[in-house]
């Protein structure tokens, strides 16, 4: 029985809560009959407890008996507690109704007397008119009314609210990266500082995360921001964020991103104009069939310099004119693209150039980041 009391504790709490609710709701019944039933129930419960303790019913029958005894005990204790609370509320309500004096006994129930039937007329040839039976007038005291009101409020509080249907699914989150690897999400057109902070609060720190969003992630983001308190206004639909994030993750800067880096505050966009602007953005080039032949992962590239941005790649240690031309043929045109490479991208480039380990050994990524910071626009 101790094992059941610990294992099925939520069920016993539910039985206790049900008993409290039932005991709290007042009911008109004969007091002697109620006491008799209470004594009988207590006697049956005691016999069941003795039988369960002595393990008289063997096997599964004994398990069911122990379960019934525990549930009945929890329900009975709940009924007693509910009745005690109802009596306390009723007494307080009666004292308040009588100006703080002693509670007065409720008036006796007096059945209403039916009125005299109307006299018969000549038009009543179908038979004598029969007056409707009078209903007994039951006078409910203020204590009973107060108890009913309190019981209704308790039921409202204990009734769970209907669950709202989930919209989409949350995007994958990551822990906060090193500050050097955090991305300025405000470079995405339509993401202001408040939205950027809200994205960081749910674990979105990098352009690569937004670039990988699917439709269910976009739906969840829009629904989530509207349910915040206070709700966050979204100037641009979240569906317009991933195409920009793919460009930024690949190392290309849009005119909006350059303006933000330069300290400008772009004016709010018209939704249609913003959608047209996103549709005209360049796209990273598709990978080749032999990309998986080399170890690592191919970095994103562009068939043409994105937004006309080209840099002298030979300023990176270990990159001569021949290697710079090969990188251009691969779609790498700027320092910013190399600065966004992951360790897997650097490994792939070394294998593709037949110089394994060269990008890591000469720290191409670190050199590209330093060059990018040197040439970054200032306010």
């Amino acid at each position: 029985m101790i094992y059941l009391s610990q294992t099925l504790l939520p069920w016993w709490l539910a039985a206790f809560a049900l008993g409290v609710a039932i005991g709290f709701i007042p009911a008109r019944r004969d007091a002697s009959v109620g006491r008799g039933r209470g004594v009988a129930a207590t006697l049956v419960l005691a016999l069941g407890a003795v039988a369960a303790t002595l393990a008289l019913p063997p096997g599964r029958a004994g398990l069911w008996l122990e379960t019934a005894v525990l549930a009945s005990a929890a329900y009975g204790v709940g009924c007693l507690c509910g009745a005690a609370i109802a009596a306390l509320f009723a007494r307080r309500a009666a004292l308040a109704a009588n100006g703080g004096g002693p509670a007065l006994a409720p008036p006796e129930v007096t059945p209403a007397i039916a009125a005299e039937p109307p006299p018969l007329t000549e038009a009543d040839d179908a038979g004598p008119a029969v007056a409707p039976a009078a209903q007994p007038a039951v006078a409910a005291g203020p204590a009973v009314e107060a108890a009913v009101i309190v019981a209704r409020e308790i039921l409202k509080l204990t009734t769970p609210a209907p669950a709202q249907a989930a919209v989409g699914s949350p995007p994958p989150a990551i822990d906060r990266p090193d500050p050097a690897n955090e991305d300025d999400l405000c470079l995405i057109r339509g993401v202001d500082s408040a939205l950027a902070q809200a994205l960081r609060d749910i674990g979105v720190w990098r352009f690569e995360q937004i670039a990988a969003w699917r439709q269910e992630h976009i739906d969840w983001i829009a629904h989530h921001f509207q349910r915040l308190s206070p709700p966050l206004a979204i100037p641009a639909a979240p569906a317009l964020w991933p195409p920009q994030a793919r460009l930024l993750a690949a190392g290309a800067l849009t005119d909006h991103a350059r303006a933000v880096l330069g300290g400008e505050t772009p004016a709010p966009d018209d939704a249609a104009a913003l959608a047209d602007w996103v549709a005209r953005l360049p796209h990273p080039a598709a990978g080749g069939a032999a990309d998986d032949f080399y170890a690592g992962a191919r970095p994103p590239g562009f068939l043409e310099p994105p937004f006309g941005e080209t840099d002298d790649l030979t300023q990176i240690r270990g990159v001569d004119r021949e290697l710079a031309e090969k990188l251009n043929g691969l779609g790498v045109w700027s320092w910013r693209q190399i600065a966004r490479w992951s360790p897997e991208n650097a490994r792939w480039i070394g294998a593709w150039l037949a110089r394994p380990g060269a990008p890591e050994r000469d720290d191409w990524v670190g050199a590209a980041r330093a060059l990018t910071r040197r040439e970054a626009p200032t306010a």
Side-chain angles (χ1 to χ4, degrees):
M1 192 173 289
I2 296 177
Y3 170 77
L4 287 177
S5 63
Q6 296 175 349
T7 305
L8 302 180
L9 181 59
W11 292 99
W12 312 143
L13 294 178
F16 175 79
L18 178 62
V20 171
I22 296 300
F24 192 88
I25 299 176
R28 297 181 57 85
R29 59 173 64 91
D30 188 5
S32 61
V33 174
R35 285 193 296 270
R37 291 180 179 177
V39 171
T42 304
L43 180 60
V44 172
L45 180 62
L47 293 177
V50 172
T53 304
L54 298 178
L56 296 181
R60 186 178 295 273
L63 178 63
W64 282 109
L65 177 60
E66 292 181 6
T67 304
V69 168
L70 289 173
S72 300
Y75 175 79
V77 173
C79 288
L80 294 177
C81 293
I85 296 173
L88 179 60
F89 274 100
R91 179 174 179 81
R92 290 185 177 179
L95 290 175
N98 294 319
L104 299 178
E108 296 183 356
V109 178
T110 305
I113 301 177
E116 290 290 337
L120 297 178
T121 62
E122 295 180 357
D124 298 326
D125 53 357
V130 179
Q135 299 295 329
V138 179
V144 176
E145 295 178 358
V148 171
I149 292 175
V150 174
R152 289 174 180 172
E153 294 301 323
I154 289 180
L155 290 177
K156 289 180 182 179
L157 293 176
T158 56
T159 301
Q164 297 183 356
V167 177
S169 58
I174 64 173
D175 295 332
R176 182 174 184 177
D178 182 84
N181 293 325
E182 291 182 15
D183 289 329
D184 184 1
L185 302 182
C186 292
L187 300 185
I188 298 175
R189 195 169 177 176
V191 176
D192 55 18
S193 57
L195 286 175
Q197 182 58 50
L199 288 170
R200 289 191 289 267
D201 290 341
I202 61 174
V204 178
W205 298 89
R206 303 269 295 166
F207 295 136
E208 286 84 355
Q209 293 177 261
I210 301 178
W213 281 359
R214 299 189 298 272
Q215 186 60 46
E216 59 265 28
H217 303 147
I218 296 172
D219 295 340
W220 186 91
I221 286 291
H223 183 68
H224 172 72
F225 287 165
Q226 291 176 358
R227 295 186 61 189
L228 294 178
S229 181
L232 280 180
I234 304 179
L240 301 178
W241 301 352
Q244 302 180 62
R246 280 190 282 272
L247 280 178
L248 295 168
L253 285 183
T254 64
D255 52 354
H256 171 83
R258 289 186 177 277
V260 172
L261 289 175
E264 300 180 17
T265 303
D269 292 300
D270 175 75
L274 179 56
D276 179 68
W277 176 81
V278 171
R280 290 185 284 106
L281 292 176
H283 300 279
D291 290 351
D292 295 337
F293 178 78
Y294 305 99
R298 176 176 177 170
F302 299 90
L303 296 179
E304 297 179 353
F307 306 101
E309 181 182 18
T310 59
D311 292 321
D312 183 6
L313 302 184
T314 61
Q315 294 192 32
I316 298 176
R317 179 183 177 184
V319 178
D320 55 17
R321 179 57 57 186
E322 180 183 358
L323 289 182
E325 292 178 356
K326 289 184 177 181
L327 290 174
N328 290 159
L330 196 61
V332 180
W333 305 91
S334 66
W335 302 325
R336 191 177 297 273
Q337 289 180 258
I338 299 177
R340 300 287 311 188
W341 283 357
S342 67
E344 289 298 304
N345 297 149
R347 184 182 181 192
W348 189 94
I349 288 292
W352 186 81
L353 293 174
R355 297 188 180 185
E360 297 91 337
R361 184 170 54 254
D362 293 329
D363 192 16
W364 291 7
V365 174
R369 289 178 178 176
L371 291 169
T372 300
R373 286 193 296 268
R374 190 185 70 184
E375 299 294 331
T378 56

